[in-house]
Amino acid sequence: MLPPTGQAADFRKNGAIVLRGVFAPWVETLRAGVERLMADPSPLERSYQPDGSAPFFQDLCNWQRIPEFRDFVEHSPLGQIAGELLGAHEVRFFHDHVLVKEPGTSLVTPWHQDRPYYCASGPQTVSFWIPLDPVPAASALECVAGSHRWGYDHRPMRFDGTPLYAVDDSPPMPDIDSARGDYPILSWDMAPGDAVAFDFGTVHGAAATTGAVNRRRVFSARLVGDDAVFASRGGKGSPPFAHLALKDGDSLAGPDFPVLYTAPA
């Protein structure tokens, strides 16, 4: 299922859109993959349990070892949908990220952009935030419309509030929560198999799940389009990809970044 006509223009304008039901046939496959992953996490797994509340599980870069994730990456319409949204001639997979917030998690995902964290750079980027459970807007991803076109990256911070880079003169993230009415914030009630597609430069965050009664399993897939290159972050970028020999500015190529879509001639 491809995005309806006009959604590509909305994506490029707002930096975030919701796609209804595009991955619904893959929900059970991804749920099985998440269960397999949580039973056997990777060395990159990070789980948080602040203040003794319910845990928030995260793990990334598992598509090559979790068969259900590989099946989704290689055989779902993921690449073609990305190509349509980006208007790209070629789309490569960048990485996967699983986020599971159990009901009662007090941890808030703070407002941030992904771009200054990622070891990839390019004019065409898209993340798909795919819930595998029903998610009300109050617990779903929130995106600031148009923030990918502000013309600069905000200072990247670790989620514990410390700066990612010791020397960084980029502007800090504004206090969006104290002035929510000043920002065009997008959020949607979502069903399993829906997806939020958003640019790596879009400012986004997510609330705690202290009032939720269901767990919130999310599979997130990140892709890049034409002219994507490796961006060295001094060993602090995400994902780490410590095994890569790529240098800053090298084309983002190799088995870790397979081509998922090539536009018809």
Side-chain angles (χ1 to χ4, degrees), residues 33-53:
V34 169
E35 293 309 304
R36 187 188 299 270
L37 174 63
M38 294 185 75
D40 180 24
S42 84
L44 298 179
E45 180 264 338
R46 295 291 182 273
S47 290
Y48 304 93
Q49 195 166 1
D51 307 321
S53 69

Side-chain angles (χ1 to χ4, degrees), residues 74-97:
E74 295 182 341
H75 300 116
S76 79
L78 179 69
Q80 188 172 2
I81 293 172
E84 295 284 341
L85 292 178
L86 297 173
H89 296 291
E90 181 179 270
V91 171
R92 288 183 179 272
F93 189 73
F94 178 37
H95 78 277
D96 58 280
H97 190 180

Side-chain angles (χ1 to χ4, degrees), residues 5 23 25 39 42 57 99 103 106 116 126 130 135 141 148 161 170 177 181 183 205 233 238 250 259:
T5 301
F23 299 119
S42 84
F57 171 92
L99 310 98
S106 65
V126 61
I130 308 165
V135 181
L141 190 73
H148 66 307
S170 54
D177 284 324
Y183 296 92
R233 303 293 186 189
S238 178
D250 285 350
V259 174

Side-chain angles (χ1 to χ4, degrees), residues 66-83:
I66 301 295
E68 293 87 353
F69 295 169
R70 179 185 285 271
D71 188 18
F72 175 75
V73 169
E74 295 182 341
H75 300 116
S76 79
L78 179 69
Q80 188 172 2
I81 293 172

Side-chain angles (χ1 to χ4, degrees), residues 111 142 173-183 185:
W111 294 102
E142 294 187 310
M173 182 65 63
D175 186 355
I176 293 172
D177 284 324
S178 68
R180 290 177 65 93
D182 295 340
Y183 296 92
I185 296 174

Side-chain angles (χ1 to χ4, degrees), residues 56-243:
F56 178 21
F57 171 92
Q58 295 190 62
D59 206 344
L60 65 163
C61 299
N62 289 290
W63 74 273
Q64 290 170 303
R65 76 178 186 95
I66 301 295
E68 293 87 353
F69 295 169
R70 179 185 285 271
D71 188 18
F72 175 75
V73 169
E74 295 182 341
H75 300 116
S76 79
L78 179 69
Q80 188 172 2
I81 293 172
E84 295 284 341
L85 292 178
L86 297 173
H89 296 291
E90 181 179 270
V91 171
R92 288 183 179 272
F93 189 73
F94 178 37
H95 78 277
D96 58 280
H97 190 180
V98 169
L99 310 98
V100 180
K101 279 189 176 182
E102 301 293 348
T105 298
S106 65
L107 189 68
V108 172
T109 304
W111 294 102
H112 67 286
Q113 297 160 294
D114 289 336
R115 187 167 54 206
Y117 297 85
Y118 284 174
C119 61
S121 178
Q124 299 174 329
T125 61
V126 61
S127 288
F128 293 94
W129 193 87
I130 308 165
L132 307 179
D133 303 286
V135 181
S139 301
L141 190 73
E142 294 187 310
C143 299
V144 179
S147 53
H148 66 307
R149 296 186 286 110
W150 285 353
Y152 51 86
D153 289 338
H154 291 284
R155 186 179 307 155
M157 306 292 288
R158 297 184 180 90
F159 285 8
D160 64 4
T162 61
L164 183 62
Y165 309 120
V167 179
D168 188 348
D169 60 0
S170 54
M173 182 65 63
D175 186 355
I176 293 172
D177 284 324
S178 68
R180 290 177 65 93
D182 295 340
Y183 296 92
I185 296 174
L186 304 175
S187 187
W188 302 269
D189 292 323
M190 299 184 70
D194 291 347
V196 174
F198 64 100
D199 188 279
F200 289 2
T202 298
V203 173
H204 61 285
T209 59
T210 49
V213 295
N214 297 314
R215 68 194 321 209
R216 195 207 68 184
R217 291 170 290 182
V218 171
F219 182 87
S220 188
R222 287 80 188 258
L223 298 92
V224 294
D226 303 333
D227 303 320
V229 298
F230 183 75
S232 175
R233 303 293 186 189
K236 296 184 178 181
S238 178
F241 286 129
H243 62 286

